[in-house]
Amino acid sequence: MEITHSRESDFRATVKWVMLKKSRPPASDNPILEPTNDQDDADLDFVPDPSAENASASDPTDGLSAHMPCADNWKAAENNSNKKMWAIFDESGIFASMCHHGFILWITDMIQSGELAKYPLAIIHKALDLLPPGFLLAYDIGCVFDGTIDRSSMGALFKERNCQCCINAFHGYSHNYLCQVQYHPNVIEGMGLGDLETLERVFSSLNQLASVTRYMSKHCCHVFIDLFFRQWDDEKYENLGNMLFNNYTQALQIINVDVPELEHAKKEFDVHEGDLEKWRLEEKVYFSTLGKEPDEHVLKIAYVERLRELQEAEEKYKSANQQFMVSTPEDALGETYASALSKTWKTETEWHYVDERQDQLTRDITQLEARLGISREQHWTFSSPEFLEISKYISRRTYEKALDKLQKLVIQRLFELQKLNLSHTAYKMHTHIAKSLQTRCQAIQTAVAAYNKAALALDPPQATLDWSQVSHYTFLEDFALLHDTSHNIWEKPWAKAVVRKMIKKDQRMKHAHEEIIRCNVEVRRLHTSIVDEERNFKKRLDEIGSSGLPIYGAVKEFITQRCHVNAKLLDRISQIYSLEGFTGVPGPGIKKDSM
């Protein structure tokens, strides 16, 4: 899990875990290791976690009432029953969190389980207690986990603090496209240029500990992991100046290159100010409603169906009433009393049922008319144009729904292929996206079969589709069938390749400006922190020297090393101040609580 800043906050967060392949006899505790930076106490703070026997109580999609399109594509989002094999291990791995600078926040052992919801929820609980409002939480399955948080006891507080979930930049391209337009960091305002994949680099480096800690005792294993992350934090602090310098340089380069290109493209294609943002929001709304029937359509369909049912009920009522009224006494037919009584009861029961059904349908129709705004004078009849239009739609409803679903999957596949075919997409990214497209293609194949079945059921039957053709479509223009859908995409500006490229450049340019604003804040804070720290070092060292404490030598050695690192950081900070395009305030500030 990595925590990052939003517009109101100084933090960013990503949730991630790594398997260390440890196997030991079962233990009764599950520690959470506290942050390992230099200001914290050297001892580990053990926080109790749910016991091993409850380890299988939940998974990251706990309580998910509605199916999420990404839930089937990630092991972390799988149902708990698929993670039972982890019970053979006492500690199956660790679940870690860090800030966007790369400093470790909290780590927890995963006890006899895979990646369950309780681990990230425990970290979020800690973050809500200690971090300021407005932090962004990045998780491989952040789209699905957002609902888990909302349904937890922390849901209201999470929203009240203006916190938000998102997915990691690299992993995000394997998510459903609808998920990408809502949760990918490239579309989140205030995100900056971070990729939120820092923990991937952490665990890549951490793998070297696996062979060392495999057969260690629990205590020794915790000690080694703690030492590793302390060393990691020290290295990240030393590299902080380089990170800020590189981020600032990258943001300036994007602005200097993309702004002229974007302005030229806007003039060439007659795009006005605000159009790109408007089209981006239209795309988001389009994918959020694609494949869903409008509420008004659903009500009108229900209204027409109730009118038809009422007509049938009225006819049945007339028939039942007539049969009941003209029934012949048993004396005339020579029937027994019991036989005649049975027939009378049956006729009377049917008459009462049809009468009650008629009253119920009348009440339903009245309620639907109220919701649709249909007055008594506008009551639909079987010859009304609106009635005939909805009746025609109902006959094609199954076909339309199958076609809309197929459209949604095909468009998502085509837009994801655009990313796959980008000239600057690296091999690993190509492979990652290609694997996700295999799942998408299987879904499309199922949708094609459903469409063909619905098309043949129409009168007259519609032409069917061949999967081998659909699987080779690479452009929207190839899919002529999309002309028939209720969500026509052909005239949408954002569906054109050149407009989509401009929207991407516009978003990247905005994120570059956000990164510069963030860097201006962080550079000055780092400079202020160094100045205050060195002033405090001198004061404390004088106090220890005058008191004659034996730790004077060790403290002096630590301060000397730290000052060497700070000198390198100050050198980098001065280079940032001298950058052409630097817009911050050069020089240190004043710490808020020292004013």
Side-chain angles (χ1 to χ4, degrees):
M1 174 183 290
E2 184 174 324
I3 300 179
T4 183
H5 69 272
S6 67
R7 286 164 295 173
E8 298 82 10
S9 172
D10 306 329
F11 294 90
R12 305 179 184 182
T14 311
V15 181
K16 191 66 185 176
W17 68 283
V18 61
M19 178 182 171
L20 296 183
K21 300 180 181 178
K22 300 178 289 183
S23 179
R24 283 189 296 280
S28 60
D29 59 312
N30 178 16
I32 292 182
L33 284 72
E34 291 299 314
T36 57
N37 55 38
D38 294 317
Q39 286 74 29
D40 294 319
D41 187 78
D43 295 329
L44 297 181
D45 180 12
F46 292 95
V47 179
D49 199 44
S51 62
E53 64 185 19
N54 294 324
S56 62
S58 58
D59 62 76
T61 60
D62 267 353
L64 191 62
S65 56
H67 179 72
M68 296 292 289
C70 298
D72 297 333
N73 301 334
W74 295 90
K75 291 180 180 179
E78 284 182 353
N79 187 276
N80 174 61
S81 60
N82 297 329
K83 303 175 184 178
K84 293 294 186 183
M85 60 85 59
W86 294 108
I88 66 174
F89 298 109
D90 178 26
E91 297 173 13
S92 53
I94 63 173
F95 200 97
S97 61
M98 62 166 37
C99 73
H100 79 289
H101 302 100
F103 297 113
I104 300 297
L105 295 178
W106 303 284
I107 310 165
T108 180
D109 271 326
M110 295 193 297
I111 302 296
Q112 295 185 359
S113 70
E115 190 171 346
L116 300 182
K118 63 181 180 180
Y119 303 117
L121 285 175
I123 287 176
I124 291 170
H125 185 271
K126 198 84 173 177
L128 289 172
D129 281 345
L130 301 179
L131 301 184
F135 63 79
L136 180 66
L137 179 79
Y139 191 5
D140 290 351
I141 55 167
C143 52
V144 180
F145 192 66
D146 190 31
T148 304
I149 298 174
D150 189 48
R151 290 183 296 275
S152 72
S153 59
M154 299 177 290
L157 181 60
F158 193 79
K159 287 184 177 179
E160 182 184 333
R161 296 281 186 88
N162 196 27
C163 302
Q164 185 180 353
C165 282
C166 72
I167 53 180
N168 313 75
F170 176 79
H171 290 84
Y173 290 116
S174 290
H175 282 246
N176 182 283
Y177 193 76
L178 171 59
C179 170
Q180 293 184 35
V181 299
Q182 298 181 70
Y183 290 98
H184 199 281
N186 287 351
V187 300
I188 295 177
E189 185 179 356
M191 180 59 234
L193 297 174
D195 61 7
L196 303 176
E197 296 286 0
T198 312
L199 275 166
E200 293 293 339
R201 305 176 186 102
V202 174
F203 291 132
S204 177
S205 178
L206 186 63
N207 284 336
Q208 59 189 307
L209 271 186
S211 59
V212 180
T213 61
R214 189 188 302 263
Y215 303 110
M216 283 184 176
S217 66
K218 178 179 292 189
H219 172 73
C220 291
C221 181
H222 287 165
V223 169
F224 267 71
I225 294 175
D226 182 55
L227 287 173
F228 173 87
F229 283 122
R230 288 181 184 276
Q231 179 64 31
W232 175 273
D233 281 352
D234 289 341
E235 292 174 358
K236 283 300 170 183
Y237 180 77
E238 186 174 354
N239 195 50
L240 204 52
N242 291 333
M243 187 198 80
L244 293 173
F245 180 84
N246 292 336
N247 287 358
Y248 215 114
T249 304
Q250 180 191 18
L252 289 175
Q253 184 178 4
I254 290 172
I255 293 173
N256 293 334
V257 173
D258 285 4
V259 169
E261 292 181 358
L262 185 60
E263 292 301 322
H264 176 73
K266 283 182 176 180
K267 290 181 181 178
E268 184 177 354
F269 295 97
D270 194 28
V271 177
H272 303 289
E273 191 68 28
D275 285 348
L276 295 177
E277 181 64 17
K278 181 182 71 174
W279 293 338
R280 186 184 71 83
L281 294 176
E282 285 180 1
E283 178 193 21
K284 183 177 179 179
V285 172
Y286 175 85
F287 278 102
S288 63
T289 58
L290 188 58
K292 299 178 182 178
E293 284 187 302
D295 291 340
E296 187 178 2
H297 270 203
V298 175
L299 292 174
K300 288 181 178 178
I301 290 169
Y303 182 54
V304 169
E305 289 175 345
R306 293 296 183 276
L307 288 174
R308 288 176 175 175
E309 291 177 10
L310 180 61
Q311 184 189 43
E312 294 176 3
E314 288 174 346
E315 292 175 356
K316 287 182 179 180
Y317 177 79
K318 290 179 182 179
S319 175
N321 187 54
Q322 183 179 5
Q323 185 178 358
F324 180 74
M325 296 300 293
V326 301
S327 59
T328 307
E330 68 276 5
D331 294 342
L333 299 175
E335 292 182 309
T336 64
Y337 177 79
S339 176
L341 182 62
S342 176
K343 285 184 178 180
T344 303
W345 280 355
K346 184 177 179 180
T347 303
E348 186 175 0
T349 301
E350 183 179 354
W351 179 75
H352 279 299
Y353 170 76
V354 175
D355 185 41
E356 291 175 1
R357 178 62 178 162
Q358 188 175 348
D359 291 341
Q360 179 62 47
L361 288 171
T362 303
R363 287 193 294 270
D364 291 346
I365 289 173
T366 303
Q367 291 177 0
L368 287 169
E369 286 178 341
R371 294 185 65 180
L372 289 169
I374 300 174
S375 63
R376 185 178 296 273
E377 294 76 17
Q378 296 173 326
H379 179 81
W380 290 7
T381 64
F382 283 75
S383 59
S384 300
E386 299 90 345
F387 184 93
L388 296 175
E389 180 184 352
I390 295 299
S391 297
K392 183 179 179 181
Y393 172 75
I394 291 175
S395 64
R396 291 176 55 89
R397 187 184 186 194
T398 304
Y399 171 78
E400 292 281 355
K401 291 180 71 174
L403 184 55
D404 277 350
K405 182 177 181 180
L406 179 60
Q407 176 197 18
K408 177 179 180 178
L409 293 171
V410 169
I411 293 173
Q412 287 178 173
R413 177 180 178 271
L414 295 179
F415 283 3
E416 289 162 2
L417 278 172
Q418 281 187 347
K419 292 187 175 69
L420 186 63
N421 293 323
L422 288 176
S423 58
H424 297 294
T425 304
Y427 171 77
K428 286 187 177 181
M429 179 67 81
H430 274 280
T431 306
H432 200 59
I433 300 175
K435 286 182 179 179
S436 71
L437 286 173
Q438 292 177 3
T439 302
R440 187 83 66 249
C441 289
Q442 291 174 1
I444 294 174
Q445 194 167 359
T446 303
V448 167
Y451 166 79
N452 288 339
K453 182 179 179 180
L456 293 173
L458 291 177
D459 185 21
Q462 294 288 323
T464 58
L465 282 174
D466 182 6
W467 161 245
S468 61
Q469 285 182 313
V470 177
S471 63
H472 288 87
Y473 288 159
T474 54
F475 299 99
L476 284 175
E477 291 78 4
D478 296 335
F479 207 168
L481 180 64
L482 297 186
H483 279 303
D484 290 339
T485 62
S486 56
H487 299 270
N488 197 335
I489 193 177
W490 289 87
E491 302 301 325
K492 307 289 186 183
W494 51 263
K496 299 175 183 177
V498 63
V499 174
R500 295 181 59 77
K501 188 175 181 180
M502 282 194 288
I503 291 175
K504 183 180 178 181
K505 280 186 176 292
D506 183 59
Q507 286 295 111
R508 188 166 174 80
M509 186 182 67
K510 289 178 180 177
H511 287 317
H513 283 291
E514 293 165 357
E515 189 69 29
I516 287 179
I517 294 172
R518 188 70 249 156
C519 286
N520 285 338
V521 174
E522 293 182 356
V523 167
R524 198 172 190 211
R525 286 183 175 177
L526 178 60
H527 195 170
T528 305
S529 174
I530 292 173
V531 171
D532 291 346
E533 184 179 62
E534 293 193 348
R535 186 186 303 117
N536 187 51
F537 279 162
K538 186 177 184 305
K539 178 182 177 182
R540 298 302 178 190
L541 192 60
D542 290 342
E543 290 177 356
I544 294 174
S546 61
S547 60
L549 294 175
I551 62 171
Y552 178 83
V555 173
K556 184 177 181 180
E557 181 181 358
F558 169 79
I559 290 176
T560 302
Q561 293 176 355
R562 183 76 167 195
C563 287
H564 287 161
V565 173
N566 287 343
K568 294 180 181 179
L569 291 176
L570 289 173
D571 182 57
R572 264 306 192 188
I573 289 172
S574 65
Q575 293 179 33
I576 295 174
Y577 290 158
S578 61
L579 281 174
E580 184 178 352
F582 176 75
T583 57
V585 179
I590 301 174
K591 193 174 180 181
K592 186 176 180 180
D593 55 9
S594 65
M595 295 176 63

Short mmCIF file of all heavy atoms in Angstrom, two decimals, residues 286 290 399 403-412 414 451 465 473 475-490:
data_model
loop_
_atom_site.label_atom_id
_atom_site.label_comp_id
_atom_site.label_asym_id
_atom_site.label_seq_id
_atom_site.Cartn_x
_atom_site.Cartn_y
_atom_site.Cartn_z
N TYR A 286 -20.09 8.07 -20.11
CA TYR A 286 -20.47 7.07 -21.12
C TYR A 286 -20.18 5.66 -20.64
O TYR A 286 -21.03 4.78 -20.69
CB TYR A 286 -19.71 7.37 -22.41
CG TYR A 286 -19.92 6.33 -23.50
CD1 TYR A 286 -21.02 6.41 -24.36
CD2 TYR A 286 -19.04 5.28 -23.66
CE1 TYR A 286 -21.22 5.47 -25.35
CE2 TYR A 286 -19.24 4.32 -24.65
CZ TYR A 286 -20.32 4.43 -25.50
OH TYR A 286 -20.52 3.48 -26.47
N LEU A 290 -22.78 2.68 -19.89
CA LEU A 290 -22.82 1.76 -21.02
C LEU A 290 -23.28 0.38 -20.57
O LEU A 290 -22.78 -0.17 -19.59
CB LEU A 290 -21.43 1.66 -21.65
CG LEU A 290 -21.32 0.89 -22.97
CD1 LEU A 290 -22.24 1.51 -24.01
CD2 LEU A 290 -19.90 0.88 -23.46
N TYR A 399 -32.19 -8.32 -27.58
CA TYR A 399 -31.18 -8.07 -28.62
C TYR A 399 -30.37 -6.81 -28.31
O TYR A 399 -29.15 -6.81 -28.42
CB TYR A 399 -31.89 -7.94 -29.97
CG TYR A 399 -31.00 -7.47 -31.10
CD1 TYR A 399 -30.12 -8.34 -31.72
CD2 TYR A 399 -31.04 -6.15 -31.53
CE1 TYR A 399 -29.31 -7.91 -32.76
CE2 TYR A 399 -30.23 -5.71 -32.56
CZ TYR A 399 -29.37 -6.60 -33.17
OH TYR A 399 -28.55 -6.17 -34.18
N LEU A 403 -26.41 -6.54 -27.50
CA LEU A 403 -25.59 -5.70 -28.36
C LEU A 403 -24.84 -4.65 -27.55
O LEU A 403 -23.66 -4.37 -27.79
CB LEU A 403 -26.47 -5.02 -29.42
CG LEU A 403 -25.75 -4.18 -30.48
CD1 LEU A 403 -24.70 -4.99 -31.19
CD2 LEU A 403 -26.78 -3.63 -31.47
N ASP A 404 -25.51 -4.04 -26.55
CA ASP A 404 -24.85 -3.04 -25.70
C ASP A 404 -23.69 -3.66 -24.92
O ASP A 404 -22.63 -3.05 -24.76
CB ASP A 404 -25.86 -2.43 -24.73
CG ASP A 404 -26.67 -1.30 -25.38
OD1 ASP A 404 -26.30 -0.90 -26.49
OD2 ASP A 404 -27.65 -0.85 -24.77
N LYS A 405 -23.91 -4.87 -24.41
CA LYS A 405 -22.84 -5.54 -23.66
C LYS A 405 -21.66 -5.84 -24.57
O LYS A 405 -20.50 -5.64 -24.21
CB LYS A 405 -23.37 -6.83 -23.04
CG LYS A 405 -22.33 -7.56 -22.21
CD LYS A 405 -22.90 -8.79 -21.55
CE LYS A 405 -21.82 -9.49 -20.70
NZ LYS A 405 -22.37 -10.71 -20.05
N LEU A 406 -21.95 -6.30 -25.78
CA LEU A 406 -20.89 -6.58 -26.74
C LEU A 406 -20.14 -5.31 -27.11
O LEU A 406 -18.91 -5.29 -27.20
CB LEU A 406 -21.50 -7.22 -28.00
CG LEU A 406 -20.52 -7.57 -29.13
CD1 LEU A 406 -19.48 -8.57 -28.65
CD2 LEU A 406 -21.28 -8.13 -30.32
N GLN A 407 -20.90 -4.21 -27.29
CA GLN A 407 -20.28 -2.92 -27.60
C GLN A 407 -19.33 -2.50 -26.50
O GLN A 407 -18.20 -2.07 -26.76
CB GLN A 407 -21.36 -1.86 -27.80
CG GLN A 407 -20.80 -0.47 -28.04
CD GLN A 407 -21.84 0.62 -27.81
OE1 GLN A 407 -22.85 0.35 -27.17
NE2 GLN A 407 -21.60 1.80 -28.29
N LYS A 408 -19.79 -2.61 -25.24
CA LYS A 408 -18.97 -2.19 -24.11
C LYS A 408 -17.64 -2.94 -24.08
O LYS A 408 -16.58 -2.36 -23.94
CB LYS A 408 -19.75 -2.43 -22.81
CG LYS A 408 -18.99 -2.09 -21.55
CD LYS A 408 -19.85 -2.33 -20.33
CE LYS A 408 -19.10 -1.98 -19.06
NZ LYS A 408 -19.92 -2.15 -17.85
N LEU A 409 -17.70 -4.26 -24.27
CA LEU A 409 -16.48 -5.07 -24.20
C LEU A 409 -15.55 -4.78 -25.37
O LEU A 409 -14.32 -4.70 -25.21
CB LEU A 409 -16.85 -6.55 -24.18
CG LEU A 409 -17.58 -7.04 -22.92
CD1 LEU A 409 -18.09 -8.46 -23.12
CD2 LEU A 409 -16.66 -6.97 -21.72
N VAL A 410 -16.13 -4.59 -26.56
CA VAL A 410 -15.30 -4.34 -27.74
C VAL A 410 -14.62 -2.98 -27.64
O VAL A 410 -13.42 -2.84 -27.93
CB VAL A 410 -16.15 -4.43 -29.02
CG1 VAL A 410 -15.37 -3.90 -30.23
CG2 VAL A 410 -16.57 -5.87 -29.28
N ILE A 411 -15.36 -1.95 -27.21
CA ILE A 411 -14.76 -0.62 -27.11
C ILE A 411 -13.65 -0.61 -26.06
O ILE A 411 -12.59 -0.02 -26.26
CB ILE A 411 -15.84 0.43 -26.78
CG1 ILE A 411 -16.80 0.58 -27.96
CG2 ILE A 411 -15.22 1.78 -26.46
CD1 ILE A 411 -17.99 1.47 -27.67
N GLN A 412 -13.90 -1.28 -24.93
CA GLN A 412 -12.85 -1.36 -23.91
C GLN A 412 -11.62 -2.04 -24.48
O GLN A 412 -10.49 -1.60 -24.25
CB GLN A 412 -13.37 -2.15 -22.70
CG GLN A 412 -14.36 -1.37 -21.87
CD GLN A 412 -14.91 -2.18 -20.71
OE1 GLN A 412 -15.63 -1.64 -19.88
NE2 GLN A 412 -14.58 -3.44 -20.64
N LEU A 414 -10.66 -2.19 -27.64
CA LEU A 414 -10.01 -1.33 -28.62
C LEU A 414 -9.22 -0.21 -27.95
O LEU A 414 -8.11 0.12 -28.37
CB LEU A 414 -11.06 -0.75 -29.58
CG LEU A 414 -11.79 -1.77 -30.47
CD1 LEU A 414 -12.81 -1.06 -31.34
CD2 LEU A 414 -10.81 -2.54 -31.32
N TYR A 451 -25.21 -12.56 -28.27
CA TYR A 451 -25.76 -11.68 -29.31
C TYR A 451 -26.35 -12.49 -30.45
O TYR A 451 -27.46 -12.21 -30.93
CB TYR A 451 -24.68 -10.75 -29.84
CG TYR A 451 -25.09 -10.07 -31.13
CD1 TYR A 451 -25.95 -8.98 -31.12
CD2 TYR A 451 -24.66 -10.57 -32.36
CE1 TYR A 451 -26.36 -8.38 -32.31
CE2 TYR A 451 -25.07 -9.99 -33.54
CZ TYR A 451 -25.91 -8.89 -33.51
OH TYR A 451 -26.34 -8.31 -34.68
N LEU A 465 -22.79 -12.66 -35.91
CA LEU A 465 -21.39 -12.26 -35.94
C LEU A 465 -20.48 -13.47 -35.89
O LEU A 465 -20.81 -14.48 -35.25
CB LEU A 465 -21.06 -11.35 -34.75
CG LEU A 465 -21.50 -9.90 -34.84
CD1 LEU A 465 -21.22 -9.20 -33.52
CD2 LEU A 465 -20.79 -9.17 -35.97
N TYR A 473 -10.68 -7.02 -34.98
CA TYR A 473 -10.96 -5.58 -35.07
C TYR A 473 -9.89 -4.81 -34.29
O TYR A 473 -9.57 -5.15 -33.17
CB TYR A 473 -12.34 -5.26 -34.49
CG TYR A 473 -13.50 -5.73 -35.34
CD1 TYR A 473 -14.76 -5.90 -34.77
CD2 TYR A 473 -13.35 -6.00 -36.69
CE1 TYR A 473 -15.84 -6.34 -35.53
CE2 TYR A 473 -14.41 -6.43 -37.45
CZ TYR A 473 -15.65 -6.60 -36.87
OH TYR A 473 -16.71 -7.03 -37.63
N PHE A 475 -9.86 -1.08 -34.94
CA PHE A 475 -10.34 0.29 -34.94
C PHE A 475 -11.87 0.28 -34.82
O PHE A 475 -12.53 -0.66 -35.27
CB PHE A 475 -9.93 1.03 -36.22
CG PHE A 475 -8.45 1.14 -36.41
CD1 PHE A 475 -7.79 0.26 -37.24
CD2 PHE A 475 -7.71 2.09 -35.72
CE1 PHE A 475 -6.42 0.34 -37.41
CE2 PHE A 475 -6.33 2.17 -35.88
CZ PHE A 475 -5.69 1.30 -36.72
N LEU A 476 -12.42 1.33 -34.25
CA LEU A 476 -13.86 1.43 -34.10
C LEU A 476 -14.57 1.39 -35.45
O LEU A 476 -15.67 0.85 -35.57
CB LEU A 476 -14.23 2.73 -33.38
CG LEU A 476 -13.99 2.76 -31.87
CD1 LEU A 476 -14.29 4.15 -31.35
CD2 LEU A 476 -14.83 1.74 -31.16
N GLU A 477 -13.93 1.95 -36.47
CA GLU A 477 -14.54 1.99 -37.78
C GLU A 477 -14.79 0.59 -38.35
O GLU A 477 -15.65 0.39 -39.20
CB GLU A 477 -13.67 2.79 -38.76
CG GLU A 477 -13.62 4.28 -38.46
CD GLU A 477 -12.70 4.63 -37.30
OE1 GLU A 477 -12.03 3.72 -36.79
OE2 GLU A 477 -12.65 5.81 -36.92
N ASP A 478 -14.01 -0.40 -37.88
CA ASP A 478 -14.18 -1.77 -38.36
C ASP A 478 -15.48 -2.39 -37.88
O ASP A 478 -16.01 -3.31 -38.52
CB ASP A 478 -13.01 -2.65 -37.88
CG ASP A 478 -11.68 -2.20 -38.46
OD1 ASP A 478 -11.69 -1.58 -39.53
OD2 ASP A 478 -10.64 -2.47 -37.82
N PHE A 479 -16.00 -1.91 -36.76
CA PHE A 479 -17.15 -2.53 -36.12
C PHE A 479 -18.42 -1.78 -36.53
O PHE A 479 -18.98 -1.01 -35.77
CB PHE A 479 -16.98 -2.52 -34.61
CG PHE A 479 -17.73 -3.63 -33.92
CD1 PHE A 479 -17.50 -3.91 -32.59
CD2 PHE A 479 -18.67 -4.39 -34.60
CE1 PHE A 479 -18.17 -4.92 -31.94
CE2 PHE A 479 -19.36 -5.40 -33.98
CZ PHE A 479 -19.11 -5.66 -32.64
N ALA A 480 -18.89 -2.02 -37.75
CA ALA A 480 -20.06 -1.31 -38.27
C ALA A 480 -21.31 -1.61 -37.47
O ALA A 480 -22.25 -0.81 -37.45
CB ALA A 480 -20.28 -1.69 -39.73
N LEU A 481 -21.35 -2.75 -36.79
CA LEU A 481 -22.52 -3.13 -36.01
C LEU A 481 -22.84 -2.11 -34.92
O LEU A 481 -23.98 -1.99 -34.49
CB LEU A 481 -22.30 -4.51 -35.38
CG LEU A 481 -23.43 -5.08 -34.53
CD1 LEU A 481 -24.65 -5.32 -35.40
CD2 LEU A 481 -22.99 -6.36 -33.85
N LEU A 482 -21.83 -1.36 -34.48
CA LEU A 482 -22.05 -0.41 -33.39
C LEU A 482 -23.01 0.71 -33.80
O LEU A 482 -23.46 1.47 -32.96
CB LEU A 482 -20.72 0.19 -32.93
CG LEU A 482 -19.71 -0.79 -32.33
CD1 LEU A 482 -18.51 -0.04 -31.80
CD2 LEU A 482 -20.34 -1.60 -31.23
N HIS A 483 -23.30 0.83 -35.11
CA HIS A 483 -24.29 1.81 -35.55
C HIS A 483 -25.67 1.51 -34.97
O HIS A 483 -26.49 2.40 -34.80
CB HIS A 483 -24.40 1.81 -37.08
CG HIS A 483 -23.32 2.60 -37.74
ND1 HIS A 483 -23.10 3.92 -37.47
CD2 HIS A 483 -22.39 2.23 -38.66
CE1 HIS A 483 -22.08 4.37 -38.21
NE2 HIS A 483 -21.63 3.35 -38.94
N ASP A 484 -25.95 0.23 -34.67
CA ASP A 484 -27.28 -0.17 -34.24
C ASP A 484 -27.51 0.00 -32.75
O ASP A 484 -28.61 -0.21 -32.26
CB ASP A 484 -27.52 -1.65 -34.58
CG ASP A 484 -27.66 -1.87 -36.07
OD1 ASP A 484 -27.96 -0.89 -36.77
OD2 ASP A 484 -27.45 -3.01 -36.53
N THR A 485 -26.47 0.33 -32.00
CA THR A 485 -26.63 0.36 -30.55
C THR A 485 -27.35 1.62 -30.09
O THR A 485 -27.35 2.65 -30.76
CB THR A 485 -25.25 0.31 -29.86
OG1 THR A 485 -24.51 1.46 -30.23
CG2 THR A 485 -24.50 -0.94 -30.24
N SER A 486 -27.94 1.52 -28.87
CA SER A 486 -28.61 2.69 -28.30
C SER A 486 -27.62 3.71 -27.79
O SER A 486 -27.97 4.85 -27.55
CB SER A 486 -29.54 2.24 -27.16
OG SER A 486 -28.79 1.53 -26.18
N HIS A 487 -26.36 3.29 -27.60
CA HIS A 487 -25.30 4.22 -27.16
C HIS A 487 -24.35 4.43 -28.34
O HIS A 487 -23.26 3.87 -28.39
CB HIS A 487 -24.52 3.64 -25.98
CG HIS A 487 -25.36 3.38 -24.77
ND1 HIS A 487 -25.56 4.32 -23.79
CD2 HIS A 487 -26.05 2.29 -24.39
CE1 HIS A 487 -26.33 3.82 -22.85
NE2 HIS A 487 -26.65 2.59 -23.19
N ASN A 488 -24.77 5.21 -29.33
CA ASN A 488 -23.96 5.38 -30.53
C ASN A 488 -22.68 6.14 -30.21
O ASN A 488 -22.71 7.24 -29.68
CB ASN A 488 -24.78 6.14 -31.58
CG ASN A 488 -24.17 6.01 -32.96
OD1 ASN A 488 -22.98 5.77 -33.10
ND2 ASN A 488 -25.01 6.15 -33.97
N ILE A 489 -21.56 5.56 -30.57
CA ILE A 489 -20.27 6.15 -30.24
C ILE A 489 -19.62 6.86 -31.42
O ILE A 489 -18.63 7.56 -31.27
CB ILE A 489 -19.31 5.03 -29.73
CG1 ILE A 489 -18.07 5.63 -29.08
CG2 ILE A 489 -18.92 4.09 -30.84
CD1 ILE A 489 -17.13 4.61 -28.49
N TRP A 490 -20.20 6.71 -32.61
CA TRP A 490 -19.54 7.21 -33.80
C TRP A 490 -19.36 8.72 -33.81
O TRP A 490 -18.35 9.23 -34.32
CB TRP A 490 -20.33 6.78 -35.04
CG TRP A 490 -20.22 5.32 -35.30
CD1 TRP A 490 -21.01 4.35 -34.78
CD2 TRP A 490 -19.26 4.67 -36.12
NE1 TRP A 490 -20.61 3.12 -35.22
CE2 TRP A 490 -19.52 3.29 -36.06
CE3 TRP A 490 -18.20 5.10 -36.90
CZ2 TRP A 490 -18.77 2.35 -36.74
CZ3 TRP A 490 -17.46 4.17 -37.60
CH2 TRP A 490 -17.74 2.82 -37.51
#
